[in-house]
């Protein structure tokens, strides 16, 4: 019998090459032009699950892109771990900022990844992290050390809001039944500061349209006398925060969880260096809600951000024009007890109320999701913490993150399952940005750590 310590170096090249093959497929869920690549990716993931030793695999059709399912049931009386991940990726643009093409993976060294990192769209979010689970299962199955049952559910629409998954969960409750859900789709503090994600923010996402005059106008002939929808939209957006960077939407904070002083003090113990944070992003200063630290601002507090804004002339040179319409895409990250549908409604009412009567506004809701918090006293958390202690030699720090994985709250609602978030990426891995990468060390460390979670969770559950 091989140990994981031996198995990784023996198979390292193959582990990297298989991931590189997966990363070559441009499985961009946001762009219908890549629908064929999405299907090819699902097929490759299914093949990988078969080769890892799953007894049953299946490509499950949904209203949207398919879910890849696989399972290895060794004894129905033993606990069952359901691994969730996603094989779709974000669009790679802006393309010209990539130092190597997004779907031609290469391994390059970086300051934080002296052993090299794989540069490709999806390397960290989430193909690389998802694939760690496939390789960890392969090790356990091939070496007869799988201590419990495992099911895989790898989806293809996470980056566009997992729209088909509510129905998929409802229709497959039995098949997906489990004792714990395990996900690697978040990050950790640093390679020598392991952490476990204990909170995800929720999300409300809207698109707004402001219409002024019924056609584009000459900005000299009409300028100064008519509403300019871009000026109006900018002013409306600016008014959504006050001088303390509080969000001004009435009742927005009503349900926000008040985190106790004791818990805030506990959270503040996690290492965080403001100067390094600013330097890494090349910003002169941080900015955010008065009364909260930077790490609180991106974890336990809700936000409102413009993600895109457009209208009028944006081509080469100058065109003198007052546009008829202006648009923006706005996200609100939510914290425990805030409800995305309620927040979307509050936003809509407020946005309509603050519009001057010179313009018309339209608010279109996009996908949303509920926040999630892990109980650090649970068996799942304790098993995960012990797994990190085993492979990192350090107790992991529980840390809430600012990102969202809406399916996690849905898992609890529909399947009654809790989720453990074992992320191995770093914030600097540039997910959703040009030059996304995933450390080779992190990839292998994940493969090494995951089997210990299986072992300790099974032991602690009996
Ligand atoms: N893996 C991310 C979420 C994430 C990343 C959480 C890092 C914590 C740390 C996921 O793929 C993602 O991008 N989620 C979206 C939400 C979705 C509804 C599009 C997000 O957070 O913007
Ligand atoms: Mn992800
Ligand atoms: Mn993502």
């Amino acid at each position: 019998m091989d140990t994981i310590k031996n198995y990784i170096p023996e198979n390292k090249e193959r582990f990297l090459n298989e991931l590189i093959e997966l990363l070559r497929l441009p499985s961009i869920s946001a762009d219908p032009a890549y629908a064929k690549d999405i299907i090819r990716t699902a097929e490759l993931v299914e093949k990988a699950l078969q080769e890892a030793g799953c007894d049953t695999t299946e490509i499950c059709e949904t209203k949207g892109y398919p879910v890849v399912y696989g399972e290895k049931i060794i004894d129905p009386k033993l606990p069952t771990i359901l691994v969730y991940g996603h094989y779709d990726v974000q669009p790679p643009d802006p393309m010209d900022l990539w130092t190597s093409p997004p779907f031609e993976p290469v391994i390059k060294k970086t300051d934080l990844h002296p052993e090299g990192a794989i540069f490709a769209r999806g390397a960290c979010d989430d193909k690389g992290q998802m694939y760690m689970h496939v390789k960890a299962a392969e090790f356990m199955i091939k070496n007869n050390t799988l201590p419990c049952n495992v099911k895989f559910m790898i989806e293809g629409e996470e980056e566009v809001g997992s729209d088909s998954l509510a129905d998929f969960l409802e229709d497959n409750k039995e098949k997906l039944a489990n004792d714990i859900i395990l996900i690697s789709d978040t990050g950790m503090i640093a390679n020598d500061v392991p952490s476990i994600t204990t909170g995800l923010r929720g999300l409300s996402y809207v698109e707004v349209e402001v219409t002024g005059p019924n056609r584009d106008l000459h900005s000299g002939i009409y300028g100064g006398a008519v509403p300019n929808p871009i000026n109006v939209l900018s002013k409306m957006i600016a008014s959504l925060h006050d001088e303390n960077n509080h969000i001004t939407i009435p009742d927005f904070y009503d349900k926000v969880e008040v985190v106790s002083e004791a818990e805030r003090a506990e959270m503040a113990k996690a290492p965080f260096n403001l100067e390094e944070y600013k330097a890494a992003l090349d910003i002169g200063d941080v900015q955010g809600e008065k009364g909260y630290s930077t790490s609180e601002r991106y974890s336990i507090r809700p936000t409102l951000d413009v993600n895109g804004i457009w209208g009028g002339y944006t081509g080469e040179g100058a065109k003198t024009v007052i546009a008829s319409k202006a648009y923006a895409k706005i996200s609100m990250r939510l914290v425990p007890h805030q409800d995305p549908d309620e927040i979307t409604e509050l936003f809509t009412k407020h946005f309509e109320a603050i519009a001057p009567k010179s313009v018309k506004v339209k608010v279109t809701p996009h996908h949303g999701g509920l926040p999630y918090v892990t109980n650090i006293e649970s068996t799942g958390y304790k098993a995960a913490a012990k797994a990190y202690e085993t492979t990192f030699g350090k107790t992991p720090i529980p840390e809430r993150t600012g990102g969202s994985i809406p399916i996690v709250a849905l898992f609890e609602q529909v399947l009654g399952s809790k989720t453990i978030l074992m992320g191995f990426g770093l914030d600097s891995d540039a997910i959703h940005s040009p030059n996304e990468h995933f450390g080779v060390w992190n990839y292998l460390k994940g493969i090494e750590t995951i089997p210990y979670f299986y072992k300790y969770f099974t032991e602690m559950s009996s």
Side-chain angles (χ1 to χ4, degrees), residues 6 33 57 62 231 361 448:
N6 295 331
T57 63
T62 69
N231 292 7
V361 302
E448 183 188 345

Side-chain angles (χ1 to χ4, degrees), residues 270-288:
F272 180 81
N273 184 314
L274 189 60
E275 291 314 311
E276 280 173 19
Y277 185 82
K278 289 192 282 189
L281 301 175
D282 198 18
I283 48 176
D285 203 357
V286 291
Q287 194 207 285

Side-chain angles (χ1 to χ4, degrees), residues 164-412:
S164 314
L165 279 204
D167 285 350
F168 183 78
L169 297 191
E170 288 290 352
D171 296 346
N172 293 281
K173 283 187 190 169
E174 194 101 343
K175 179 190 229 150
L176 300 172
N178 65 80
D179 296 281
I180 193 92
I181 292 169
L182 184 59
I183 304 181
S184 294
D185 194 21
T186 55
M188 59 179 188
I189 297 176
N191 286 0
D192 57 352
V193 189
S195 60
I196 296 177
T197 305
T198 52
L200 293 165
R201 286 196 287 192
L203 183 67
S204 158
Y205 200 109
V206 294
E207 183 167 329
V208 299
E209 178 191 281
V210 174
T211 308
N214 58 3
R215 60 187 169 87
D216 287 9
L217 302 172
H218 188 288
S219 68
I221 300 175
Y222 289 95
V226 296
N228 176 329
I230 302 176
N231 292 7
V232 172
L233 175 60
S234 309
K235 209 166 168 176
M236 289 170 73
I237 288 171
S239 80
L240 296 174
H241 291 93
D242 69 13
E243 67 282 8
N244 293 323
N245 276 307
H246 255 71
I247 295 158
T248 55
I249 299 169
D251 305 328
F252 183 86
Y253 291 97
D254 279 7
K255 294 193 175 166
V256 167
E257 172 196 41
V258 181
V259 179
S260 70
E261 287 302 323
E263 198 177 339
R264 286 176 71 186
E266 200 51 45
M267 287 174 175
K269 288 184 189 158
F272 180 81
N273 184 314
L274 189 60
E275 291 314 311
E276 280 173 19
Y277 185 82
K278 289 192 282 189
L281 301 175
D282 198 18
I283 48 176
D285 203 357
V286 291
Q287 194 207 285
E289 192 183 359
K290 195 174 168 186
Y292 295 91
S293 70
T294 296
S295 40
E296 288 174 338
R297 287 169 178 168
Y298 67 63
S299 62
I300 59 166
R301 299 298 295 167
T303 64
L304 183 152
D305 275 296
V306 179
N307 293 240
I309 180 163
W310 70 102
Y313 185 68
T314 57
E316 284 294 311
K319 177 189 179 189
T320 49
V321 66
I322 290 176
S324 167
K325 288 178 188 289
Y327 307 83
K329 292 188 193 274
I330 298 175
S331 68
M332 288 160 279
R333 296 284 170 171
L334 312 179
V335 297
H337 313 322
Q338 282 184 299
D339 178 273
D341 293 335
E342 263 172 50
I343 293 292
T344 300
E345 205 180 306
L346 291 177
F347 176 92
T348 306
K349 256 184 20 206
H350 180 64
F351 207 71
E352 285 166 0
I354 60 173
K357 75 168 191 280
S358 55
V359 298
K360 297 183 204 64
V361 302
K362 194 169 111 196
V363 179
T364 310
H366 282 274
H367 50 247
L370 285 158
Y372 186 77
V373 180
T374 303
N375 176 1
I376 61 171
E377 299 301 330
S378 61
T379 306
Y381 185 85
K382 287 181 181 159
K386 197 167 168 194
Y388 282 74
E389 277 162 18
T390 307
T391 57
F392 286 79
K394 282 183 183 171
T395 302
I397 296 172
E399 198 202 28
R400 292 203 204 177
T401 174
S404 309
I405 310 177
I407 184 71
V408 174
L410 214 61
F411 277 140
E412 179 154 32

Side-chain angles (χ1 to χ4, degrees), residues 22-31 33-42 45 65 86-92 103 121-122 125-127 130 155-160:
L22 187 63
L23 289 168
R24 281 188 206 284
L25 296 171
S27 49
I28 306 166
S29 50
D31 187 343
Y34 294 90
K36 278 213 178 75
D37 296 292
I38 286 264
I39 302 305
R40 284 168 60 207
T41 310
V45 171
Y65 290 130
H86 62 94
Y87 64 81
D88 65 321
V89 301
Q90 285 278 328
F103 298 105
R121 171 57 85 229
D125 183 12
D126 179 43
K127 285 175 177 168
M130 173 271 283
E155 71 148 316
E157 296 188 305
E158 197 277 342
E159 298 293 7
V160 288

